[in-house]
Amino acid sequence: MTRIALLNTANDLSPAQWAQLARGNDPFLSREFLGLAESTGAASADLAWQPVHVVLQAADESPRAFLPLYLRQHSFGDFSRDWQWDQAWQSAGLAYYPKLVSAIPFTPSPGPRCVLAQGEPESTRDELIAAAIHVAQELKASSWQCLFVQESDRAALENAGMLLRGGVQFHWKNRNYADFDDFLATFTAMKRKKLNRERRYVSDAGLRLATLHGDEIDAASWQAIYRQYADTFRRYGNHPAFSLEFFQQLAAQIGRAMVVFVAYQGDDLVASAICYRSGTTLFGRHWGADIECPGLHFELCYYRGITYAIEHGLRTFEPGAQGEHKLARGFEPVMTWGSYWIANPRMRHSVAQFIAREAAATEQYQLEMSTHLPFRLES
């Protein structure tokens, strides 16, 4: 007999139970990342990320399936792009919050959401989706949003009647490049010249660049890296949700699955870009710098990541949300997907109409962005 369990933290599943889940080596949907985000305060009720993770349990309490789920009182940090929806609900005399979100806190990265245990049939995914909708109804949430989903989840969510909404990110794809110069050879001469000039700004500044993995970063370096991360958020009036403790403990736990590109001026660590990796993908997350240097942001956040992906045989580099400037650096526009269950039938109809209107513009935007890529036309 299957039981629906709600977890107050990802740590409520043991490491052995997590090992039963087929998560595809995703660094974010992990006990380490979610558990530390929750225990150090980033994903907590204080920041409107109240964990109510859904687990389908077998009779022996082993997990058959897992869904990350958070009860939210606002939308900061989930990248749901529902900025005007609260106002629409209020205009209809309804409350938009609380809503439920299946996503990784402060991490707009496509990945597994409906996670099955090893050996579970695909029909278990349907059971998990039905369980999530039941939880949404029980908690009287206005909606359940399953964000940045992979293709297998997308199909199941659509089959369950949820509304699908597309977005666009810019990802780099490894087409079996031998090295960075091999990748750059695919650019037009003008675009290649501009990129090389950008990189020369950094080399001419006399900075020393290095790649550090999580198990190679000492406490003093973390102080500098964290300060740079936090300063970037504060500069734009945002809250740096992850703490120094989170980064230090996560680095110790996941080791080489964390990758940080750094720049030194003399002996001082003056800039950093925090990334994570799976067996196939590099994920860019946070950037900061203590100095002004033309081209340094692009070098650490993009070019070092591309080089790393080529050297380590990774297929994709996802540097984060937004950023049309990534096109000129060889990042291609790709579709991302979220799905939406709306409790109120009238509001569901309104959201469906909004998504339908938006879809044509999103598709056109992706096509338009594709015309600005730097690559040479094939003869």
Side-chain angles (χ1 to χ4, degrees), residues 76 229-241:
F76 175 69
Y229 151 78
D231 285 350
T232 298
F233 273 80
R234 293 181 180 125
R235 189 177 306 123
Y236 294 98
N238 293 322
H239 172 68

Side-chain angles (χ1 to χ4, degrees), residues 81 154 164-170 332-337 354-372:
R81 299 181 295 130
R154 174 191 165 191
L164 286 184
R165 185 185 183 198
V168 175
Q169 288 186 354
F170 300 92
E332 304 175 34
V334 301
M335 291 295 295
T336 62
W337 295 97
F354 168 78
I355 290 175
R357 292 193 301 269
E358 182 187 61
T362 301
E363 182 179 358
Q364 182 58 41
Y365 175 76
Q366 184 195 20
L367 291 173
E368 170 65 19
M369 291 301 98
S370 296
T371 67
H372 297 285

Side-chain angles (χ1 to χ4, degrees), residues 8-9 11 32-51 70 72 74 76 105-106 226 229 239-247 249:
N8 294 322
T9 171
N11 288 329
E32 294 84 1
F33 190 97
L34 294 181
L36 280 170
E38 291 159 6
S39 66
T40 59
S44 66
D46 290 342
L47 290 182
W49 287 92
Q50 181 180 341
Y70 293 92
R72 307 230 57 209
H74 60 66
F76 175 69
F106 307 102
Y226 181 77
Y229 151 78
H239 172 68
F242 296 113
S243 67
L244 174 60
E245 179 187 6
F246 167 83
F247 286 115
Q249 290 193 28

Side-chain angles (χ1 to χ4, degrees), residues 197-226:
R197 182 169 64 242
E198 213 165 56
R199 300 197 81 184
R200 278 197 301 273
Y201 291 143
V202 178
S203 60
D204 291 348
L207 300 175
R208 177 170 60 89
L209 307 180
T211 300
L212 304 176
H213 292 91
D215 54 4
E216 300 170 326
I217 305 174
D218 60 26
S221 296
W222 268 124
Q223 292 284 344
I225 294 166
Y226 181 77

Side-chain angles (χ1 to χ4, degrees), residues 50-119:
Q50 181 180 341
V52 283
H53 304 312
V54 176
V55 177
L56 297 184
Q57 289 183 329
D60 62 357
E61 297 191 354
S62 62
R64 296 183 58 221
F66 173 86
L67 175 80
L69 193 63
Y70 293 92
L71 191 67
R72 307 230 57 209
Q73 302 294 339
H74 60 66
S75 295
F76 175 69
D78 62 29
F79 300 87
S80 57
R81 299 181 295 130
D82 58 355
W83 307 292
Q84 306 302 324
W85 293 18
D86 182 23
Q87 183 179 344
W89 256 252
Q90 290 184 40
S91 298
L94 302 168
Y96 185 57
Y97 299 105
K99 67 174 186 175
L100 284 169
V101 171
S102 291
I104 308 302
F106 307 102
T107 308
S109 177
R113 297 293 178 261
C114 303
V115 186
L116 308 185
Q118 306 283 352

